[in-house]
Amino acid sequence: MQSHSLLAAEATTSTSRTLTISLFLVFVAITLAITIWASRQTKTATDFYAGGRQFSGFQNGMAIGGDYMSAASFLGIAGLIALYGYDGFLYSIGFLVAWLVALLLVAEFLRNSGRYTMADVLAFRMRQRPVRTAASVSTIVVSIFYLIAQMVGAGALVSLLLGIKPGQTFLGMDADTAKIATIILVGALMIVYVVVGGMKGTTYVQIVKAFLLMTGALVMTILVLAHYKFNLSSLLGDAAARSGKGSAFLEPGLRYGVETAGDAAKTFYSKMDLLSLGIALVLGTAGLPHILTRFYTVPTSRIARKSVLWAIGIIGTFYLFTLALGFGAAALVGGKEITAQDKAGNTAAPQLAQKLGIDYLGGDTGGAVLLAIIAAVAFATILAVVAGLTLASSSSVAHDFYASVIKRGQAGERDEVRVARISAFVIGAIAIVLSIFAQSLNVAFLVALAFAVAASANLPAILYSLFWKRFNTSGALWSIYGGLISAVFLVFFSPVVSGSPTAMFPDSDWHWFPLSNPGIISIPIGFLCGWIGTMLSKESDADKYAELEVRSLTGHGAH
């Protein structure tokens, strides 16, 4: 009897593998076809960097949604809610509220003021070469943090998809080797999308992916709610019971703001960590380079504003779905099973899909079918986001550093695009290597670090540049480097990198900074450094500021 059930399990794994690999290959084939088509339409630098500025508000809103709803949103947040309940949902709220900051403070002004990258705005009234160098460095660091999160998500998915259990192999690979192979494969694909398709190809890939992700999340949400006859109370009750945490699962304090009896310092640090996370999430979006470049792909600032409104609608709906996915995974799969598959909880949503498939489609094959579909959607999510990130960082290297700093504005368009393609290779390779070391970390948590670095380094410089007349080159350099160095420095000496079981290097301990997210310290440092740097320099150009002000508010003279 036991051998019969083992054979059945192996047959299911084989069905699941075949289905998943087939669906994944279909998606890759479709997206590569889009990319090759787009490459034929990509004739100028504007086409490569900004998709020819031909996208409508709805298309760009979908693409922003596709860029923003990353593996962190789909896999990471669902996992955090499944493991920590209420505290996991804080990520959903933070990521969504952040869009209001982007809409009100950045989107329209940026579209009116720049051409291709964030540095176009910063360098408008400053000395070009030092400011563009600083912006380029910051863009690359933020993008690599974000890329690591996506690749780790891909690695976590693969051992579940291929059904590789401890002690088993697939094509001669054990689970760990398969994860590394997947990270390398995803890295190679994203480089192809960017090098061949540029912004046009990447945007269409993101639109397709946003549609797939919204459809997949909607179907799973309806199935979870139908399982509980649309009674949220019984869903939450079951989730609390199966989480192993009881009623505490539905209350704050499981992950952040934890009260430690007799240790006031530990309690204080836990509460500060929550505040630090909130600040980083809310302010980070407005400083993310791959999101900022999306505002340049539309013809006018009015359409930029409209696309952000579409994005808020799409993203807001999606984050409501993550509630059902997270609590549904806790209720139907259970905390123990989730952590047995992946310690950080990154596979909670695909495990939930497998369970729903067994319940609704009947038997293990049904589970394999739904798991394969949702996993293919998750892979699509990862590929679309990494392509957007790689494009933002390689564009910054080519447009800001190569064309403006090395060639002093004398580079031809073809040379610039060639350098962008070469830098996509290099950035992709760095991200692949770092991702292999970061596999023990939750992907939503990794993205929160990218947000903290973006909010510390980029946001102060962007806001000062747009709204402070006295701001100058020295202030821009101080704010970018000050925020960037302080954020990366604090992360390096935090429990994220060493000194905790889930750290990047769990066997070593050099941490002295008690918080997991540096935002509460590094973001004010970024703003303070910008102010100090400005005050230390007498440089000021009131005419250039007046020109930027008119341009950012009216769009007059925008490219």
Side-chain angles (χ1 to χ4, degrees):
M1 182 69 194
Q2 196 173 7
S3 65
H4 176 72
S5 62
L6 276 172
L7 283 170
E10 277 176 27
T12 307
T13 302
S14 162
T15 311
S16 176
R17 276 179 188 164
T18 311
L19 256 168
T20 304
I21 294 168
S22 307
L23 280 168
F24 179 59
L25 290 175
V26 166
F27 177 78
V28 169
I30 292 168
T31 50
L32 284 175
I34 291 171
T35 306
I36 291 161
W37 169 80
S39 72
R40 292 185 179 145
Q41 320 291 314
T42 301
K43 295 189 171 62
T44 65
T46 302
D47 287 337
F48 185 84
Y49 293 131
R53 305 195 205 285
Q54 292 165 347
F55 294 105
S56 67
F58 174 68
Q59 283 176 322
N60 200 42
M62 281 284 277
I64 290 173
D67 223 348
Y68 195 69
M69 297 181 300
S70 63
S73 307
F74 187 45
L75 303 175
I77 294 178
L80 284 170
I81 294 173
L83 297 182
Y84 300 102
Y86 181 94
D87 280 11
F89 183 52
L90 293 171
Y91 279 85
S92 291
I93 297 168
F95 283 142
L96 180 58
V97 171
W99 271 106
L100 297 176
V101 178
L103 174 65
L104 297 172
L105 291 180
V106 174
E108 191 175 346
F109 302 118
L110 211 68
R111 166 64 192 81
N112 286 342
S113 314
R115 285 185 70 192
Y116 304 135
T117 65
M118 171 185 82
D120 288 337
V121 177
L122 299 181
F124 187 80
R125 48 189 272 242
M126 318 285 177
R127 294 200 309 279
Q128 295 277 324
R129 297 178 76 204
V131 172
R132 284 190 184 275
T133 304
S136 192
V137 169
S138 168
T139 296
I140 290 165
V141 173
V142 173
S143 297
I144 285 175
F145 264 103
Y146 216 113
L147 277 168
I148 292 170
Q150 310 310 316
M151 315 277 240
V152 168
L157 259 180
V158 76
S159 52
L160 173 69
L161 298 182
L162 301 178
I164 307 173
K165 303 276 186 293
Q168 290 184 344
T169 60
F170 172 66
L171 298 178
M173 298 183 290
D174 62 12
D176 290 339
T177 316
K179 284 181 181 182
I180 292 169
T182 307
I183 286 171
I184 294 167
L185 172 70
V186 168
L189 275 169
M190 77 179 178
I191 292 167
V192 170
Y193 288 151
V194 173
V195 170
V196 178
M199 178 59 94
K200 202 169 269 188
T202 301
T203 300
Y204 282 117
V205 169
Q206 285 161 345
I207 291 169
V208 170
K209 167 252 148 147
F211 174 75
L212 288 174
L213 184 60
M214 289 298 283
T215 308
L218 174 65
V219 168
M220 281 174 71
T221 300
I222 291 169
L223 293 179
V224 167
L225 294 175
H227 188 277
Y228 286 95
K229 300 187 171 56
F230 293 86
N231 183 336
L232 286 178
S233 177
S234 57
L235 165 62
L236 296 177
D238 255 20
R242 294 233 25 220
S243 67
K245 315 272 185 0
S247 60
F249 187 72
L250 303 177
E251 294 165 10
L254 263 186
R255 184 179 169 99
Y256 295 104
V258 180
E259 297 277 352
T260 309
D263 193 339
K266 207 168 178 187
T267 303
F268 173 74
Y269 290 141
S270 188
K271 290 183 174 174
M272 284 298 103
D273 224 352
L274 171 60
L275 192 58
S276 191
L277 170 74
I279 292 169
L281 292 182
V282 169
L283 297 179
T285 299
L288 287 175
H290 70 297
I291 298 295
L292 298 178
T293 55
R294 290 237 61 90
F295 299 138
Y296 297 131
T297 62
V298 291
T300 66
S301 60
R302 192 162 153 269
I303 294 176
R305 198 164 61 238
K306 195 182 281 182
S307 63
V308 176
L309 288 172
W310 271 112
I312 289 175
I314 293 163
I315 293 163
T317 308
F318 176 76
Y319 283 133
L320 286 175
F321 293 160
T322 61
L323 264 179
L325 300 182
F327 284 115
L332 297 172
V333 181
K336 271 190 185 160
E337 259 188 75
I338 293 168
T339 47
Q341 178 64 44
D342 184 90
K343 274 196 220 106
N346 293 324
T347 55
Q351 283 175 280
L352 173 62
Q354 191 170 18
K355 183 78 179 67
L356 290 169
I358 291 168
D359 289 353
Y360 284 96
L361 302 176
D364 290 338
T365 311
V369 170
L370 198 54
L371 168 64
I373 292 168
I374 295 304
V377 169
F379 267 123
T381 297
I382 290 163
L383 286 173
V385 174
V386 291
L389 284 160
T390 313
L391 183 66
S393 42
S394 60
S395 299
S396 184
V397 171
H399 181 62
D400 299 328
F401 189 67
Y402 173 75
S404 301
V405 177
I406 296 174
K407 290 288 186 179
R408 298 172 182 266
Q410 301 303 307
E413 281 199 349
R414 289 182 67 174
D415 274 356
E416 211 176 299
V417 171
R418 183 175 52 81
V419 171
R421 288 176 164 146
I422 294 167
S423 44
F425 273 103
V426 178
I427 290 157
I430 294 168
I432 288 167
V433 173
L434 289 174
S435 304
I436 291 167
F437 287 102
Q439 291 183 58
S440 62
L441 300 172
N442 179 282
V443 289
F445 171 70
L446 277 167
V447 163
L449 291 183
F451 272 60
V453 177
S456 309
N458 298 343
L459 188 64
I462 289 169
L463 293 183
Y464 279 151
S465 200
L466 287 170
F467 302 112
W468 186 20
K469 191 177 188 174
R470 173 91 169 72
F471 193 53
N472 53 33
T473 305
S474 165
L477 297 180
W478 273 63
S479 66
I480 293 173
Y481 287 128
L484 184 66
I485 292 165
S486 62
V488 174
F489 177 79
L490 292 175
V491 167
F492 186 75
F493 289 104
S494 76
V496 175
V497 175
S498 70
S500 73
T502 56
M504 222 172 189
F505 301 100
D507 302 327
S508 309
D509 187 1
W510 59 76
H511 94 281
W512 51 261
F513 182 64
L515 306 183
S516 295
N517 194 297
I520 197 165
I521 307 289
S522 59
I523 296 169
I525 287 176
F527 278 101
L528 181 64
C529 284
W531 180 79
I532 293 170
T534 302
M535 290 306 173
L536 289 176
S537 168
K538 296 212 164 37
E539 180 195 348
S540 180
D541 190 338
D543 292 345
K544 212 63 173 138
Y545 173 73
E547 189 184 336
L548 178 68
E549 191 174 33
V550 169
R551 192 167 173 167
S552 67
L553 290 169
T554 65
H556 179 71
H559 295 278

